[in-house]
Amino acid sequence: MKKLLTSAFLAGLMATGAQAEDVTLQLKWVTQAQFAGYFVAKDKGFYEEEGLNVTILPGGPDVAPTQVIAGGGADVVVDWMPSALAAREKGLALVNIAQPFKSSGMQLTCLKESGVATPADFKGKTLGVWFGGNEYPFLNWMAKLGYKTDGSPEGVTVLKQGFNVDPLLQKQAACISTMTYNEYWQVIDAGITPEQLVNFNYTTEGVATLEDGLYVMEDKLADPAFVETMAKFVRASMKGWKYAEQNPDEAAMIVLENDETGAQTEAHQKRMMGEVAKLTAGSDGTLDPADYDSTVAALMSGGSDAVITKAPEGAWTHAVTDLALK
């Protein structure tokens, strides 16, 4: 039925002389339920209904969304706000046009046997940290706690963590970076019980920053036609996200169908989708200015260790979501 509807839609476009607009989306990471809304929107024909032909590019450890969009390889990218604002301060004029993720899923997961029960116990410990733009929330938190990250006795030692949980399993680090929807469950699947762990969620600790927003280059927004195209894209994407929230198992299976690597499993993606739905719940795509201000304040704290040195100007706009929600 879906294919019949798609064919009818395309036939309609041809009959009216309209041509689908091409949009390339660069994901922050590999194909997984973290990005289910976009795959659902494409699979269900939501993009086609808006007259869009959307190409979704998976990310990976060697793919930086900021570099891709800077080089013209994508029209819009999924990125975390700390990374986007840090790039903006360095001269890459990224603008947040929509914020599908309302809440943060980032946390530090620690082995209780390492002696970590509270943040006061981080002192002198080795902590696993993701880089490539993901380090900013962690560095801000350590600055807030007053810990240097240079390996000094009164500070913490930072282990540049790969995108896996090996440092915890091999006891190379007392704590590692995890996401509530992904790496935490990899630890559990490895045979460690929840009772053996303590989690420090960035939201609970008051240092959460916005994740998984949609960003474009600022100069593109001067073109009303581009703004309209992005409004169509955001409207269809949010329709995909709401469908995914309401149909998590189906959404997970759609993600699996789009995983060309074959690396993902049904059980993991279904569990991930259930957790991701908690983070997108309550968002219609519109960036909450209070959430933005909180993120900026967090990134500016820490003195010389601050992620950004001044409040950005023009780093977000409601022009796209206002048009999308009309």
Side-chain angles (χ1 to χ4, degrees):
M1 178 60 74
K2 184 188 73 177
K3 291 182 178 178
L4 290 174
L5 291 173
T6 299
S7 298
F9 172 77
L10 292 175
L13 283 180
M14 294 174 64
T16 60
Q19 202 167 18
E21 301 173 75
D22 292 330
V23 173
T24 300
L25 168 68
Q26 174 64 60
L27 302 181
K28 181 174 175 60
W29 192 238
V30 299
T31 300
Q32 59 182 20
Q34 176 184 356
F35 311 108
Y38 309 111
F39 290 109
V40 168
K42 185 167 184 175
D43 184 84
K44 293 294 180 182
F46 299 156
Y47 289 135
E48 290 176 342
E49 291 170 3
E50 294 286 351
L52 302 179
N53 176 39
V54 175
T55 299
I56 303 176
L57 302 178
D62 300 319
V63 178
T66 52
Q67 293 178 6
V68 173
I69 198 168
D75 300 296
V76 55
V77 299
V78 177
D79 207 353
W80 288 4
M81 185 168 284
S83 173
L85 293 186
R88 185 177 178 86
E89 185 161 297
K90 294 175 183 176
L92 184 63
L94 290 175
V95 177
N96 179 295
I97 59 167
Q99 188 60 45
F101 274 47
K102 175 69 175 172
S103 305
S104 166
M106 196 173 188
Q107 57 187 12
L108 274 185
T109 296
C110 312
L111 283 172
K112 285 183 179 178
E113 68 180 58
S114 69
V116 175
T118 72
D121 300 319
F122 291 158
K123 185 172 68 173
K125 297 294 195 297
T126 296
L127 310 179
V129 182
W130 294 317
F131 280 74
N134 299 328
E135 71 272 26
Y136 299 126
F138 170 84
L139 294 175
N140 162 65
W141 186 17
M142 292 303 105
K144 182 178 178 181
L145 291 172
Y147 291 133
K148 290 190 175 298
T149 56
D150 57 1
S152 57
E154 296 301 309
V156 301
T157 297
V158 172
L159 173 66
K160 190 173 182 179
Q161 181 184 334
F163 292 93
N164 56 57
V165 299
D166 292 347
L168 194 73
L169 301 181
Q170 297 170 7
K171 299 184 181 179
Q172 298 170 336
C175 311
I176 61 170
S177 300
T178 66
M179 301 301 290
T180 57
Y181 51 80
N182 196 359
E183 290 79 12
Y184 171 75
W185 295 103
Q186 292 177 21
V187 174
I188 300 302
D189 288 342
I192 297 178
T193 67
E195 292 73 27
Q196 293 174 294
L197 301 170
V198 57
N199 293 298
F200 299 95
N201 186 278
Y202 279 52
T203 298
T204 304
E205 297 298 324
V207 292
T209 52
L210 287 169
E211 300 165 358
D212 288 57
L214 292 172
Y215 294 84
V216 301
M217 294 299 294
E218 185 172 14
D219 59 347
K220 293 290 191 72
L221 294 171
D223 180 1
F226 179 80
V227 173
E228 185 173 351
T229 297
M230 287 298 101
K232 294 175 182 177
F233 173 77
V234 169
R235 182 163 51 236
S237 296
M238 292 311 301
K239 188 174 180 180
W241 274 118
K242 296 308 142 182
Y243 187 97
E245 286 176 19
Q246 295 165 10
N247 304 274
D249 286 353
E250 181 185 353
M253 295 307 295
I254 290 173
V255 170
L256 285 172
E257 290 170 6
N258 284 275
D259 174 30
E260 296 181 357
T261 69
Q264 307 295 357
T265 66
E266 179 178 338
H268 187 58
Q269 290 308 300
K270 285 183 176 180
R271 186 165 56 190
M272 184 184 293
M273 185 61 241
E275 293 296 324
V276 167
K278 299 174 184 177
L279 306 182
T280 58
S283 173
D284 64 2
T286 303
L287 172 65
D288 185 335
D291 291 341
Y292 170 81
D293 290 343
S294 177
T295 294
V296 169
L299 298 179
M300 289 179 63
S301 65
S304 61
D305 293 324
V307 174
I308 56 175
T309 61
K310 58 184 178 181
E313 294 183 5
W316 64 277
T317 178
H318 280 164
V320 172
T321 47
D322 285 349
L323 187 59
L325 294 172
K326 276 188 177 180

